[in-house]
Amino acid sequence: MHTFSDHTMPPAAAPMRLGVCYYPEHWPEAQWAEDARRMVEAGLSRVRIGEFAWSRIEPEPGRYDWGWLDRAIAVLHAAGLGVILGTPTATPPKWLVDTMPDMVALDAMGHPRGFGSRRHYCFSHAGYRAEAVRVTRALAQRYGQNPAVVAWQTDNEYGCHDTVLSYSDAARDGFRVWLADRYGDVAALNQAWGNVFWSMEYGSFGAIDLPNLTVTEANPAHQLAFRRFASDQVTVFNRAQVEVLRELSPGRDVVHNFMGFFTEFDHHAVGADLDVAGWDSYPLGFLDSFRFSEADKLAYARQGHPDIAAFHHDLYRGCTRSGRWAVLEQQPGPVNWARHNPAPLPGMVRLWTLEAMAHGAELVSYFRWRQFPKAQEQHHAGLLRPDSVAAPGLGEAAQAARDLAALGPAGAPPRSVALVFAYDADWVTGIQPQGAGLAALWAAFECYSALRRLGLDVDIVPPTAALDGYALCVIPCLPIVPEALVTALADFPGQIVIGPRSGSRTIEFALPETLPPGRLQQVFPAQVVRVESLRPGLEHRGDGWAIARWLEHLETAAAADLIADDGTVACWQHGRVRYLAAWPEPALANEVMARAARDAGLEVHAMPEGLRLRRAGNRAHLFNYSVAPVDIPASLPGRFVLGTRRLGPAGVAVVEPD
Ligand code: GAL
């Protein structure tokens, strides 16, 4: 039997595979065999299909049409491709929505999010959940033992298009049950949420609505409970499919494709039910769509910011127990959905592919095989143009396949820095930002970026992770601190950096009785007695860095580690623990991370602008994201297995010890 990858061999001993997302239902059957032949010719060995095909699999209620899918799978398999088969539950067909109109989600204004695109369902709707399980069961019965099928993908991009939060009746009813389970007694809920404030007390669980359509902001504890509930709904929805697939297709990996910079549900919880965490990598679309500076958006327009892809590689590796992960969709050219959609610099598709390998991916699968001339994504590149002529991405994928064959397996991943991230951190900072743009996800990204500019390797881990083997643990912004983390930190012999807002809330969204950093006072003796957010330009300048956006005032016996020119303390130090009392803006984050890395005894290499380093096994992999050639620092000596010391734009080098 095929497997998803060859990572059933000892970890990191198998070469990464390449694949492509393919939609046989979009193309004449006569074209399938030639498509499959060309895929294999380009060095691809996996093909991901089926995730949007419900209307063709089941054209009418209960009438399945397997013929075309049987033949498509057989053709792909005959060419030598292993199939990753998607459950089609992201695109329920019209007949289903018509029979069950209340299955759609409602937005916060109460408007239905109707049929005509995709993801038109509410995670809480019991009827739709049953339908999703039914179609999954039918597919798994048909293909669960098919030798072509190497893995299953559940649904597609949970939460895409803002679909985790639904304000439907089903969600409201489910939320009430969830609350009753969690609190037992409504008086306990009132107490936990502080509902006496503004007379928000409830007499029963049945009286509690969803936190939308309120006059001003709803109680943050109410909002957080709703976020937790909604996240649990995603986990439960996914798990129902996973259970069917495990029953009917044992031994095959189950994967899902997560998104970029997306935190609406707890990916650690969903990941716990998966074998492989997949994610969809669109570096140029993400750069244009998210909060990067205008200067970065221009400088990296055709490459993507050098930390975008790597950040997610290192994040999703921490989302399954096994650490197995893959890129299930890789941008192959211009996309259609950002505000601006430039073409990648020649070489970037290859660079992104090889970088995923260096971070330990099992598979990179390009999205999509051929650009589709109709419907929503007409301007989205594929590896082929709509007329089947090769697009630039195809040659780069083929080159990457040759590079991978020459390089062999990536080698064991290093352990040096653990960066702690939790999804509820981003919910808390989103619900109560206290200042524009101060979200935990971006604090994590800034700290990550600073570490990577020092040439360090980072694992992004949940707060429950074991910290053995790391030299440095960075907690960029973690309002709710689980006891397990405090215990792990107390035993951790390495350096620790605690960032702003950490330990600042209880699990019920209240200030801790002892004031922030709450539980973290066990490792860092301080009280945060006042916080302020700072408008752009309101800064306390230090030596090459500044306190900007956010500042905490501490009462502490710790020593000042970084002091601004006007005497304001940006960072405190107590033994091996640093407390960053300001937002991790790039220059300040650089300074703090450099100090912590030095004290941790880590080998650092100052990266020239745009260059990034990733170690695996005994190799150093270098990636040039800048539009100009860069010189790899002389502090990284060795033999070049790939590339040269002067690396051109989009260049990749692999260096081994002499
Ligand atoms: C992803 C999605 C794909 C496709 C792609 C376009 O979000 O999973 O189906 O729409 O974006 O870039």
Side-chain angles (χ1 to χ4, degrees), residues 92 97 130 155 227 234 238 339 385 404 496 592 613:
V97 185
D155 202 283
R227 293 294 199 98
V234 178
N238 181 65
R339 286 184 60 205
R385 302 187 328 204
L404 289 167
I496 298 170
V592 174
L613 164 64

Side-chain angles (χ1 to χ4, degrees), residues 52 118 156-157 160 257 280 282 329 335 337 367 377 380:
F52 301 127
R118 61 178 172 183
N156 188 77
E157 290 193 341
C160 187
N257 54 335
D280 295 346
Y282 293 94
E329 296 182 14
V335 299
W337 46 263
F367 182 92
E377 294 179 350
H380 195 297

Side-chain angles (χ1 to χ4, degrees), residues 2 7 36 56 61 68 136 146 175 199 225 250 257 267 272 285 300 335 394 460 462 469 480 523 575 596 601 622:
H2 283 298
H7 279 229
R56 290 297 174 93
W68 71 271
T136 300
N146 188 309
F175 184 48
S199 274
N257 54 335
H267 293 49
Y300 293 113
V335 299
L394 184 68
I460 303 178
I480 299 174
V523 294
L622 291 123

Side-chain angles (χ1 to χ4, degrees), residues 21 23 48 51-52 118 153 155-158 160-161 257-260 280-282 286 328-332 334-337 367-368 376-377 380-381:
C21 306
Y23 301 89
R48 191 190 73 147
E51 79 275 15
F52 301 127
R118 61 178 172 183
Q153 178 185 296
D155 202 283
N156 188 77
E157 290 193 341
Y158 289 132
C160 187
H161 316 303
N257 54 335
F258 295 136
M259 293 192 291
D280 295 346
S281 181
Y282 293 94
F286 295 151
L328 289 175
E329 296 182 14
Q330 172 63 61
Q331 174 164 3
V335 299
N336 63 304
W337 46 263
F367 182 92
R368 53 192 301 141
Q376 279 90 334
E377 294 179 350
H380 195 297

